[in-house]
Amino acid sequence: DIQMTQSPSTLSASVGDRVTITCRASQSISTYLAWYQQKPGKGPKVLIYRASSLESGVPSRFSGSGSGTEFTLTISSLQPDDFATYYCQQYSGYSLTFGGGTKVEIK
Amino acid sequence: EVQLVESGGGLVQPGGSLRLSCVGSGFTFSDHYMDWVRQAPGKGLEWVGRIRKKLNSYTTEYAASVKGRFIVSRDDSKNSLYLEMNSLKSEDTAVYYCVRADSGSFPHFDCWGQGTLVTVSS
C-alpha cells in the first residue's frame, strides 16, 4: 500500500497567518491527491482534488500544489473558521490511504 | 441537496456481526462509486472499502485490515449502501462514514455522511 506522511501533526497559528501543510507519498501518485478539512463531530469536507483543483464553494484562500510524491496545502490568510484538522488522501490505486492529519490550532 | 445518512451503529461483542446502512439522496446514486471510511476515537481517517457502479460490474475493494471480514454491497433501487461487518474486533471500534466518490475515472471523495458509531466491547 502507498503510505502518506503528513507534516506537521500540529500547527499553532494566528488569524491572518499563511499556513502550509505538507504531504509525502511513499511512491509516485501523479496528481491523485485530495485535501480534506474536518471539524469536531463532523464528517470531512473536500477542499482540493487532483492536487490543485479547488472544490466548488471552497474559499480561494485554500490552494494545493505538487505532483509525484510531494504535495502542499496552503491557506493564504488563516480565518477563524479554518481552525480544524486537515487530511491528505491518495487515490491513485485500488487501495486508498490518508495522511495522519494536521491539527491547526489557535496560537 | 446531496445527502448521505448512515444508520445501524451500536454496541456489539467481539466476534459478533453488524450491518450498517447508508441512504443517499439529492443525486443519482447509481452513477457513483461508494465507499466506507472509518475513524477510531481520537484517531485519523482509514479507508475501509469501495463498491463500484453497475458499469464496472459492482466490483469491490477492501483495506487489508478488514478483507475477508467485511462486505460492501449496494442496492441502487433503494439508493442504499451497506457494510456487513463480521468477526468484529475491538480495533474495529470507530465512527463509520458513508462516502460518495465523484463521477470521474479516478474519483476523490466529494460528499460524506455524518457517521455512525460502532463500539466493539464485551
Side-chain angles (χ1 to χ4, degrees), chain B residues 59-122:
Chain B
T59 52
T60 55
E61 307 291 343
Y62 296 95
S65 58
V66 306
K67 197 168 187 178
R69 299 188 299 123
F70 288 13
I71 298 173
V72 180
S73 61
R74 64 192 294 167
D75 184 340
D76 290 343
S77 69
K78 296 181 179 178
N79 290 344
S80 292
L81 176 72
Y82 306 101
L83 181 65
E84 187 78 36
M85 302 185 293
N86 302 304
S87 302
L88 282 161
K89 308 173 183 179
S90 57
E91 52 263 43
D92 295 319
T93 293
V95 173
Y96 284 74
Y97 293 102
C98 168
V99 189
R100 185 184 83 168
D102 96 301
S103 53
S105 54
F106 277 84
H108 63 282
F109 298 148
D110 68 352
C111 182
W112 297 64
Q114 85 288 350
T116 187
L117 177 62
V118 173
T119 303
V120 183
S121 175
S122 55

Short mmCIF file of all heavy atoms in Angstrom, two decimals, chain B residues 59-122:
data_model
loop_
_atom_site.label_atom_id
_atom_site.label_comp_id
_atom_site.label_asym_id
_atom_site.label_seq_id
_atom_site.Cartn_x
_atom_site.Cartn_y
_atom_site.Cartn_z
N THR B 59 -17.81 -4.12 -8.80
CA THR B 59 -16.63 -4.71 -8.18
C THR B 59 -16.30 -4.00 -6.88
O THR B 59 -16.65 -2.83 -6.68
CB THR B 59 -15.42 -4.67 -9.11
OG1 THR B 59 -15.25 -3.33 -9.59
CG2 THR B 59 -15.62 -5.59 -10.30
N THR B 60 -15.62 -4.70 -5.98
CA THR B 60 -15.32 -4.18 -4.65
C THR B 60 -13.83 -4.22 -4.36
O THR B 60 -13.07 -5.01 -4.96
CB THR B 60 -16.05 -4.99 -3.57
OG1 THR B 60 -15.73 -6.38 -3.73
CG2 THR B 60 -17.56 -4.80 -3.66
N GLU B 61 -13.41 -3.36 -3.46
CA GLU B 61 -12.04 -3.33 -2.96
C GLU B 61 -12.11 -3.15 -1.44
O GLU B 61 -13.04 -2.49 -0.94
CB GLU B 61 -11.23 -2.17 -3.55
CG GLU B 61 -11.24 -2.07 -5.05
CD GLU B 61 -10.47 -3.18 -5.74
OE1 GLU B 61 -9.67 -3.87 -5.07
OE2 GLU B 61 -10.67 -3.36 -6.96
N TYR B 62 -11.12 -3.68 -0.74
CA TYR B 62 -11.12 -3.59 0.73
C TYR B 62 -9.74 -3.27 1.26
O TYR B 62 -8.72 -3.66 0.67
CB TYR B 62 -11.59 -4.93 1.33
CG TYR B 62 -13.01 -5.29 0.98
CD1 TYR B 62 -13.28 -6.12 -0.11
CD2 TYR B 62 -14.07 -4.79 1.72
CE1 TYR B 62 -14.58 -6.45 -0.44
CE2 TYR B 62 -15.38 -5.12 1.38
CZ TYR B 62 -15.62 -5.94 0.30
OH TYR B 62 -16.92 -6.25 -0.03
N ALA B 63 -9.72 -2.59 2.39
CA ALA B 63 -8.47 -2.42 3.12
C ALA B 63 -8.03 -3.78 3.67
O ALA B 63 -8.87 -4.64 3.99
CB ALA B 63 -8.67 -1.44 4.26
N ALA B 64 -6.73 -3.95 3.79
CA ALA B 64 -6.19 -5.23 4.27
C ALA B 64 -6.71 -5.56 5.67
O ALA B 64 -6.91 -6.73 6.01
CB ALA B 64 -4.67 -5.17 4.27
N SER B 65 -6.96 -4.53 6.48
CA SER B 65 -7.38 -4.74 7.86
C SER B 65 -8.79 -5.33 7.99
O SER B 65 -9.13 -5.86 9.05
CB SER B 65 -7.33 -3.41 8.62
OG SER B 65 -8.16 -2.45 7.99
N VAL B 66 -9.59 -5.27 6.92
CA VAL B 66 -10.96 -5.77 7.01
C VAL B 66 -11.27 -6.83 5.95
O VAL B 66 -12.34 -7.45 5.98
CB VAL B 66 -12.00 -4.63 6.87
CG1 VAL B 66 -11.71 -3.53 7.89
CG2 VAL B 66 -12.01 -4.06 5.46
N LYS B 67 -10.34 -7.06 5.04
CA LYS B 67 -10.58 -8.01 3.96
C LYS B 67 -10.87 -9.40 4.53
O LYS B 67 -10.18 -9.88 5.42
CB LYS B 67 -9.36 -8.06 3.04
CG LYS B 67 -9.64 -8.68 1.69
CD LYS B 67 -8.48 -8.42 0.73
CE LYS B 67 -8.82 -8.89 -0.67
NZ LYS B 67 -7.73 -8.61 -1.63
N GLY B 68 -11.94 -10.01 4.02
CA GLY B 68 -12.34 -11.33 4.49
C GLY B 68 -13.32 -11.28 5.65
O GLY B 68 -13.93 -12.30 6.00
N ARG B 69 -13.48 -10.11 6.27
CA ARG B 69 -14.42 -9.96 7.39
C ARG B 69 -15.59 -9.03 7.04
O ARG B 69 -16.70 -9.21 7.54
CB ARG B 69 -13.70 -9.41 8.62
CG ARG B 69 -12.58 -10.28 9.14
CD ARG B 69 -12.05 -9.77 10.48
NE ARG B 69 -11.50 -8.42 10.39
CZ ARG B 69 -11.93 -7.39 11.13
NH1 ARG B 69 -12.89 -7.56 12.02
NH2 ARG B 69 -11.37 -6.20 10.99
N PHE B 70 -15.32 -8.01 6.22
CA PHE B 70 -16.33 -7.01 5.89
C PHE B 70 -16.76 -7.19 4.43
O PHE B 70 -15.96 -7.58 3.58
CB PHE B 70 -15.77 -5.59 6.04
CG PHE B 70 -15.55 -5.15 7.48
CD1 PHE B 70 -15.59 -6.04 8.54
CD2 PHE B 70 -15.31 -3.81 7.76
CE1 PHE B 70 -15.39 -5.63 9.84
CE2 PHE B 70 -15.10 -3.37 9.05
CZ PHE B 70 -15.13 -4.28 10.09
N ILE B 71 -18.02 -6.87 4.16
CA ILE B 71 -18.56 -6.92 2.79
C ILE B 71 -19.32 -5.63 2.50
O ILE B 71 -20.23 -5.26 3.26
CB ILE B 71 -19.50 -8.12 2.60
CG1 ILE B 71 -18.74 -9.44 2.83
CG2 ILE B 71 -20.11 -8.11 1.20
CD1 ILE B 71 -19.63 -10.66 2.84
N VAL B 72 -18.95 -4.98 1.41
CA VAL B 72 -19.66 -3.78 0.94
C VAL B 72 -20.62 -4.20 -0.16
O VAL B 72 -20.24 -4.95 -1.08
CB VAL B 72 -18.67 -2.73 0.39
CG1 VAL B 72 -19.45 -1.49 -0.07
CG2 VAL B 72 -17.65 -2.33 1.45
N SER B 73 -21.85 -3.74 -0.06
CA SER B 73 -22.85 -4.02 -1.10
C SER B 73 -23.71 -2.78 -1.31
O SER B 73 -23.63 -1.82 -0.54
CB SER B 73 -23.71 -5.23 -0.72
OG SER B 73 -24.42 -4.97 0.48
N ARG B 74 -24.51 -2.82 -2.35
CA ARG B 74 -25.38 -1.69 -2.64
C ARG B 74 -26.67 -2.17 -3.28
O ARG B 74 -26.72 -3.25 -3.89
CB ARG B 74 -24.67 -0.67 -3.56
CG ARG B 74 -24.33 -1.20 -4.93
CD ARG B 74 -23.37 -0.26 -5.67
NE ARG B 74 -23.99 1.02 -5.98
CZ ARG B 74 -23.29 2.10 -6.38
NH1 ARG B 74 -21.97 2.04 -6.49
NH2 ARG B 74 -23.91 3.23 -6.65
N ASP B 75 -27.71 -1.35 -3.17
CA ASP B 75 -28.99 -1.59 -3.84
C ASP B 75 -29.38 -0.27 -4.47
O ASP B 75 -29.90 0.63 -3.79
CB ASP B 75 -30.04 -2.08 -2.84
CG ASP B 75 -31.36 -2.43 -3.49
OD1 ASP B 75 -31.62 -1.97 -4.63
OD2 ASP B 75 -32.15 -3.16 -2.86
N ASP B 76 -29.09 -0.14 -5.75
CA ASP B 76 -29.34 1.13 -6.42
C ASP B 76 -30.83 1.47 -6.49
O ASP B 76 -31.20 2.64 -6.55
CB ASP B 76 -28.74 1.11 -7.83
CG ASP B 76 -27.22 1.12 -7.83
OD1 ASP B 76 -26.63 1.45 -6.78
OD2 ASP B 76 -26.63 0.79 -8.87
N SER B 77 -31.69 0.46 -6.46
CA SER B 77 -33.13 0.72 -6.49
C SER B 77 -33.61 1.41 -5.22
O SER B 77 -34.66 2.04 -5.19
CB SER B 77 -33.90 -0.59 -6.70
OG SER B 77 -33.81 -1.41 -5.56
N LYS B 78 -32.81 1.27 -4.15
CA LYS B 78 -33.14 1.88 -2.87
C LYS B 78 -32.17 3.01 -2.50
O LYS B 78 -32.20 3.52 -1.39
CB LYS B 78 -33.13 0.83 -1.76
CG LYS B 78 -34.19 -0.25 -1.92
CD LYS B 78 -34.15 -1.25 -0.78
CE LYS B 78 -35.23 -2.31 -0.95
NZ LYS B 78 -35.19 -3.34 0.12
N ASN B 79 -31.30 3.36 -3.45
CA ASN B 79 -30.28 4.40 -3.18
C ASN B 79 -29.51 4.09 -1.90
O ASN B 79 -29.23 5.00 -1.09
CB ASN B 79 -30.93 5.79 -3.07
CG ASN B 79 -31.45 6.30 -4.40
OD1 ASN B 79 -31.09 5.78 -5.46
ND2 ASN B 79 -32.31 7.29 -4.34
N SER B 80 -29.19 2.83 -1.72
CA SER B 80 -28.61 2.39 -0.45
C SER B 80 -27.28 1.68 -0.60
O SER B 80 -27.05 0.93 -1.55
CB SER B 80 -29.59 1.48 0.29
OG SER B 80 -30.73 2.20 0.71
N LEU B 81 -26.43 1.93 0.38
CA LEU B 81 -25.12 1.30 0.52
C LEU B 81 -25.11 0.55 1.84
O LEU B 81 -25.70 1.01 2.82
CB LEU B 81 -24.03 2.37 0.52
CG LEU B 81 -22.60 1.93 0.75
CD1 LEU B 81 -22.07 1.19 -0.48
CD2 LEU B 81 -21.72 3.14 1.06
N TYR B 82 -24.42 -0.59 1.86
CA TYR B 82 -24.38 -1.40 3.07
C TYR B 82 -22.95 -1.80 3.41
O TYR B 82 -22.09 -1.90 2.54
CB TYR B 82 -25.23 -2.67 2.90
CG TYR B 82 -26.65 -2.39 2.47
CD1 TYR B 82 -27.03 -2.54 1.14
CD2 TYR B 82 -27.60 -1.96 3.40
CE1 TYR B 82 -28.33 -2.28 0.74
CE2 TYR B 82 -28.90 -1.69 3.00
CZ TYR B 82 -29.25 -1.84 1.67
OH TYR B 82 -30.54 -1.56 1.28
N LEU B 83 -22.72 -2.04 4.70
CA LEU B 83 -21.46 -2.61 5.15
C LEU B 83 -21.77 -3.73 6.13
O LEU B 83 -22.27 -3.47 7.23
CB LEU B 83 -20.57 -1.56 5.82
CG LEU B 83 -19.21 -2.06 6.31
CD1 LEU B 83 -18.34 -2.51 5.13
CD2 LEU B 83 -18.48 -0.98 7.12
N GLU B 84 -21.52 -4.96 5.71
CA GLU B 84 -21.69 -6.13 6.57
C GLU B 84 -20.37 -6.38 7.27
O GLU B 84 -19.35 -6.60 6.62
CB GLU B 84 -22.08 -7.34 5.72
CG GLU B 84 -22.44 -8.58 6.50
CD GLU B 84 -23.85 -8.50 7.09
OE1 GLU B 84 -24.74 -7.94 6.43
OE2 GLU B 84 -24.04 -9.03 8.21
N MET B 85 -20.40 -6.32 8.60
CA MET B 85 -19.17 -6.48 9.39
C MET B 85 -19.26 -7.75 10.22
O MET B 85 -20.19 -7.90 11.03
CB MET B 85 -18.98 -5.25 10.29
CG MET B 85 -18.91 -3.95 9.52
SD MET B 85 -18.54 -2.53 10.56
CE MET B 85 -20.02 -2.47 11.54
N ASN B 86 -18.33 -8.66 10.02
CA ASN B 86 -18.30 -9.93 10.72
C ASN B 86 -17.00 -10.08 11.52
O ASN B 86 -16.03 -9.35 11.27
CB ASN B 86 -18.44 -11.09 9.73
CG ASN B 86 -19.70 -11.00 8.91
OD1 ASN B 86 -20.80 -10.94 9.47
ND2 ASN B 86 -19.57 -10.97 7.60
N SER B 87 -17.00 -11.03 12.44
CA SER B 87 -15.80 -11.31 13.26
C SER B 87 -15.21 -10.01 13.79
O SER B 87 -14.00 -9.76 13.69
CB SER B 87 -14.76 -12.06 12.42
OG SER B 87 -15.29 -13.26 11.91
N LEU B 88 -16.07 -9.20 14.38
CA LEU B 88 -15.63 -7.87 14.83
C LEU B 88 -14.62 -7.95 15.96
O LEU B 88 -14.71 -8.83 16.83
CB LEU B 88 -16.85 -7.04 15.23
CG LEU B 88 -17.61 -6.45 14.03
CD1 LEU B 88 -19.01 -6.05 14.42
CD2 LEU B 88 -16.84 -5.29 13.44
N LYS B 89 -13.68 -7.01 15.94
CA LYS B 89 -12.62 -6.91 16.93
C LYS B 89 -12.71 -5.56 17.63
O LYS B 89 -13.30 -4.62 17.08
CB LYS B 89 -11.25 -7.04 16.26
CG LYS B 89 -11.09 -8.25 15.35
CD LYS B 89 -9.77 -8.17 14.60
CE LYS B 89 -9.62 -9.34 13.64
NZ LYS B 89 -8.33 -9.27 12.88
N SER B 90 -12.05 -5.44 18.77
CA SER B 90 -12.08 -4.16 19.48
C SER B 90 -11.51 -3.03 18.62
O SER B 90 -11.96 -1.89 18.70
CB SER B 90 -11.31 -4.27 20.79
OG SER B 90 -9.97 -4.67 20.56
N GLU B 91 -10.53 -3.37 17.77
CA GLU B 91 -9.93 -2.34 16.92
C GLU B 91 -10.82 -1.88 15.78
O GLU B 91 -10.46 -0.96 15.04
CB GLU B 91 -8.57 -2.81 16.38
CG GLU B 91 -8.59 -4.15 15.70
CD GLU B 91 -8.15 -5.27 16.62
OE1 GLU B 91 -8.58 -5.30 17.81
OE2 GLU B 91 -7.39 -6.15 16.16
N ASP B 92 -11.99 -2.49 15.63
CA ASP B 92 -12.97 -2.02 14.65
C ASP B 92 -13.86 -0.91 15.23
O ASP B 92 -14.69 -0.34 14.51
CB ASP B 92 -13.86 -3.17 14.18
CG ASP B 92 -13.07 -4.23 13.42
OD1 ASP B 92 -12.20 -3.85 12.60
OD2 ASP B 92 -13.32 -5.43 13.65
N THR B 93 -13.70 -0.62 16.51
CA THR B 93 -14.46 0.47 17.13
C THR B 93 -14.12 1.79 16.46
O THR B 93 -12.95 2.19 16.38
CB THR B 93 -14.14 0.55 18.64
OG1 THR B 93 -14.63 -0.62 19.28
CG2 THR B 93 -14.79 1.78 19.26
N ALA B 94 -15.14 2.46 15.94
CA ALA B 94 -14.91 3.68 15.16
C ALA B 94 -16.24 4.29 14.76
O ALA B 94 -17.28 3.65 14.83
CB ALA B 94 -14.09 3.37 13.90
N VAL B 95 -16.16 5.54 14.31
CA VAL B 95 -17.26 6.14 13.56
C VAL B 95 -17.08 5.72 12.11
O VAL B 95 -15.99 5.86 11.55
CB VAL B 95 -17.25 7.67 13.69
CG1 VAL B 95 -18.30 8.29 12.76
CG2 VAL B 95 -17.50 8.09 15.13
N TYR B 96 -18.15 5.20 11.52
CA TYR B 96 -18.11 4.75 10.13
C TYR B 96 -18.85 5.76 9.26
O TYR B 96 -20.03 6.06 9.51
CB TYR B 96 -18.73 3.36 10.00
CG TYR B 96 -17.79 2.28 10.51
CD1 TYR B 96 -17.59 2.11 11.88
CD2 TYR B 96 -17.10 1.46 9.63
CE1 TYR B 96 -16.71 1.14 12.35
CE2 TYR B 96 -16.22 0.48 10.10
CZ TYR B 96 -16.03 0.34 11.46
OH TYR B 96 -15.16 -0.62 11.92
N TYR B 97 -18.15 6.27 8.25
CA TYR B 97 -18.71 7.25 7.33
C TYR B 97 -19.04 6.60 5.98
O TYR B 97 -18.21 5.86 5.42
CB TYR B 97 -17.74 8.39 7.07
CG TYR B 97 -17.45 9.27 8.27
CD1 TYR B 97 -16.27 9.13 9.00
CD2 TYR B 97 -18.34 10.27 8.65
CE1 TYR B 97 -16.00 9.94 10.08
CE2 TYR B 97 -18.08 11.09 9.74
CZ TYR B 97 -16.91 10.91 10.44
OH TYR B 97 -16.64 11.73 11.52
N CYS B 98 -20.19 6.91 5.48
CA CYS B 98 -20.57 6.58 4.11
C CYS B 98 -20.09 7.74 3.24
O CYS B 98 -20.30 8.92 3.59
CB CYS B 98 -22.09 6.45 4.06
SG CYS B 98 -22.85 6.37 2.44
N VAL B 99 -19.43 7.43 2.14
CA VAL B 99 -18.80 8.48 1.34
C VAL B 99 -19.10 8.27 -0.14
O VAL B 99 -19.01 7.14 -0.65
CB VAL B 99 -17.28 8.48 1.55
CG1 VAL B 99 -16.66 9.70 0.89
CG2 VAL B 99 -16.92 8.47 3.04
N ARG B 100 -19.43 9.34 -0.81
CA ARG B 100 -19.63 9.29 -2.25
C ARG B 100 -18.34 9.68 -2.95
O ARG B 100 -17.67 10.66 -2.58
CB ARG B 100 -20.73 10.28 -2.67
CG ARG B 100 -21.09 10.21 -4.13
CD ARG B 100 -22.11 11.27 -4.52
NE ARG B 100 -21.48 12.55 -4.80
CZ ARG B 100 -22.11 13.57 -5.38
NH1 ARG B 100 -23.37 13.44 -5.73
NH2 ARG B 100 -21.48 14.72 -5.60
N ALA B 101 -17.98 8.91 -3.97
CA ALA B 101 -16.84 9.28 -4.81
C ALA B 101 -17.38 10.03 -6.02
O ALA B 101 -18.46 9.70 -6.54
CB ALA B 101 -16.08 8.04 -5.25
N ASP B 102 -16.66 11.03 -6.46
CA ASP B 102 -17.15 11.81 -7.59
C ASP B 102 -17.17 10.96 -8.85
O ASP B 102 -16.65 9.84 -8.85
CB ASP B 102 -16.34 13.09 -7.75
CG ASP B 102 -15.22 12.97 -8.77
OD1 ASP B 102 -14.37 12.09 -8.57
OD2 ASP B 102 -15.23 13.73 -9.75
N SER B 103 -17.76 11.43 -9.91
CA SER B 103 -18.04 10.58 -11.06
C SER B 103 -16.89 10.48 -12.05
O SER B 103 -17.05 9.90 -13.12
CB SER B 103 -19.30 11.09 -11.78
OG SER B 103 -19.18 12.45 -12.08
N GLY B 104 -15.70 10.99 -11.72
CA GLY B 104 -14.56 10.88 -12.60
C GLY B 104 -13.98 9.48 -12.64
O GLY B 104 -14.35 8.62 -11.85
N SER B 105 -13.03 9.27 -13.55
CA SER B 105 -12.43 7.93 -13.68
C SER B 105 -11.49 7.61 -12.52
O SER B 105 -11.30 6.46 -12.17
CB SER B 105 -11.68 7.81 -15.01
OG SER B 105 -10.76 8.87 -15.14
N PHE B 106 -10.89 8.61 -11.92
CA PHE B 106 -10.13 8.45 -10.68
C PHE B 106 -10.79 9.35 -9.65
O PHE B 106 -10.41 10.49 -9.45
CB PHE B 106 -8.66 8.88 -10.89
CG PHE B 106 -7.80 7.81 -11.48
CD1 PHE B 106 -7.77 7.62 -12.86
CD2 PHE B 106 -7.02 6.99 -10.69
CE1 PHE B 106 -6.97 6.64 -13.42
CE2 PHE B 106 -6.20 6.01 -11.24
CZ PHE B 106 -6.19 5.83 -12.61
N PRO B 107 -11.83 8.82 -8.99
CA PRO B 107 -12.66 9.69 -8.18
C PRO B 107 -12.12 9.98 -6.78
O PRO B 107 -11.60 9.09 -6.11
CB PRO B 107 -13.96 8.90 -8.08
CG PRO B 107 -13.55 7.49 -8.16
CD PRO B 107 -12.37 7.45 -9.09
N HIS B 108 -12.25 11.23 -6.37
CA HIS B 108 -11.98 11.58 -4.98
C HIS B 108 -13.31 11.55 -4.23
O HIS B 108 -14.37 11.38 -4.83
CB HIS B 108 -11.35 12.96 -4.89
CG HIS B 108 -12.24 14.07 -5.38
ND1 HIS B 108 -12.43 14.33 -6.72
CD2 HIS B 108 -12.99 14.97 -4.71
CE1 HIS B 108 -13.26 15.35 -6.85
NE2 HIS B 108 -13.63 15.76 -5.64
N PHE B 109 -13.28 11.74 -2.93
CA PHE B 109 -14.48 11.73 -2.11
C PHE B 109 -15.08 13.13 -2.10
O PHE B 109 -14.45 14.06 -1.61
CB PHE B 109 -14.17 11.30 -0.69
CG PHE B 109 -13.62 9.90 -0.58
CD1 PHE B 109 -12.71 9.57 0.41
CD2 PHE B 109 -14.03 8.90 -1.43
CE1 PHE B 109 -12.20 8.28 0.54
CE2 PHE B 109 -13.54 7.61 -1.32
CZ PHE B 109 -12.62 7.30 -0.34
N ASP B 110 -16.30 13.29 -2.60
CA ASP B 110 -16.86 14.63 -2.68
C ASP B 110 -18.06 14.86 -1.78
O ASP B 110 -18.59 15.97 -1.73
CB ASP B 110 -17.17 15.02 -4.12
CG ASP B 110 -18.30 14.21 -4.72
OD1 ASP B 110 -18.76 13.24 -4.09
OD2 ASP B 110 -18.73 14.56 -5.85
N CYS B 111 -18.49 13.84 -1.05
CA CYS B 111 -19.59 14.03 -0.11
C CYS B 111 -19.51 12.96 0.97
O CYS B 111 -19.33 11.77 0.65
CB CYS B 111 -20.93 13.95 -0.82
SG CYS B 111 -22.33 14.25 0.27
N TRP B 112 -19.65 13.38 2.22
CA TRP B 112 -19.55 12.48 3.38
C TRP B 112 -20.84 12.53 4.20
O TRP B 112 -21.44 13.60 4.34
CB TRP B 112 -18.39 12.90 4.28
CG TRP B 112 -17.03 12.84 3.67
CD1 TRP B 112 -16.56 13.57 2.61
CD2 TRP B 112 -15.94 12.02 4.10
NE1 TRP B 112 -15.25 13.26 2.35
CE2 TRP B 112 -14.83 12.31 3.25
CE3 TRP B 112 -15.76 11.08 5.13
CZ2 TRP B 112 -13.59 11.68 3.40
CZ3 TRP B 112 -14.52 10.47 5.28
CH2 TRP B 112 -13.46 10.77 4.42
N GLY B 113 -21.21 11.40 4.79
CA GLY B 113 -22.30 11.39 5.75
C GLY B 113 -21.83 11.92 7.09
O GLY B 113 -20.68 12.32 7.26
N GLN B 114 -22.74 11.87 8.07
CA GLN B 114 -22.41 12.38 9.40
C GLN B 114 -21.77 11.31 10.27
O GLN B 114 -21.21 11.60 11.32
CB GLN B 114 -23.67 12.93 10.09
CG GLN B 114 -24.52 11.91 10.83
CD GLN B 114 -25.28 10.96 9.91
OE1 GLN B 114 -25.34 11.15 8.69
NE2 GLN B 114 -25.87 9.92 10.49
N GLY B 115 -21.85 10.05 9.83
CA GLY B 115 -21.19 8.96 10.54
C GLY B 115 -22.09 8.22 11.51
O GLY B 115 -23.07 8.79 12.02
N THR B 116 -21.78 6.96 11.75
CA THR B 116 -22.48 6.16 12.76
C THR B 116 -21.43 5.41 13.58
O THR B 116 -20.47 4.88 13.03
CB THR B 116 -23.49 5.18 12.11
OG1 THR B 116 -24.26 4.54 13.13
CG2 THR B 116 -22.81 4.12 11.24
N LEU B 117 -21.60 5.42 14.90
CA LEU B 117 -20.59 4.87 15.81
C LEU B 117 -20.81 3.39 16.03
O LEU B 117 -21.91 2.95 16.38
CB LEU B 117 -20.65 5.61 17.14
CG LEU B 117 -19.70 5.11 18.25
CD1 LEU B 117 -18.24 5.26 17.82
CD2 LEU B 117 -19.97 5.85 19.55
N VAL B 118 -19.74 2.62 15.84
CA VAL B 118 -19.72 1.20 16.15
C VAL B 118 -18.75 0.97 17.31
O VAL B 118 -17.59 1.38 17.23
CB VAL B 118 -19.29 0.37 14.92
CG1 VAL B 118 -19.10 -1.09 15.30
CG2 VAL B 118 -20.30 0.52 13.80
N THR B 119 -19.24 0.35 18.36
CA THR B 119 -18.40 0.05 19.52
C THR B 119 -18.35 -1.46 19.70
O THR B 119 -19.39 -2.11 19.85
CB THR B 119 -18.96 0.70 20.79
OG1 THR B 119 -19.07 2.11 20.60
CG2 THR B 119 -18.04 0.44 21.98
N VAL B 120 -17.13 -2.00 19.67
CA VAL B 120 -16.95 -3.44 19.86
C VAL B 120 -16.35 -3.66 21.24
O VAL B 120 -15.19 -3.32 21.50
CB VAL B 120 -16.03 -4.04 18.77
CG1 VAL B 120 -15.93 -5.56 18.95
CG2 VAL B 120 -16.55 -3.69 17.38
N SER B 121 -17.16 -4.20 22.12
CA SER B 121 -16.72 -4.37 23.50
C SER B 121 -17.59 -5.41 24.20
O SER B 121 -18.77 -5.55 23.87
CB SER B 121 -16.82 -3.04 24.25
OG SER B 121 -16.51 -3.19 25.62
N SER B 122 -17.00 -6.09 25.15
CA SER B 122 -17.75 -7.07 25.94
C SER B 122 -18.30 -6.41 27.21
O SER B 122 -18.99 -7.06 27.99
CB SER B 122 -16.86 -8.26 26.30
OG SER B 122 -15.68 -7.83 26.96
#
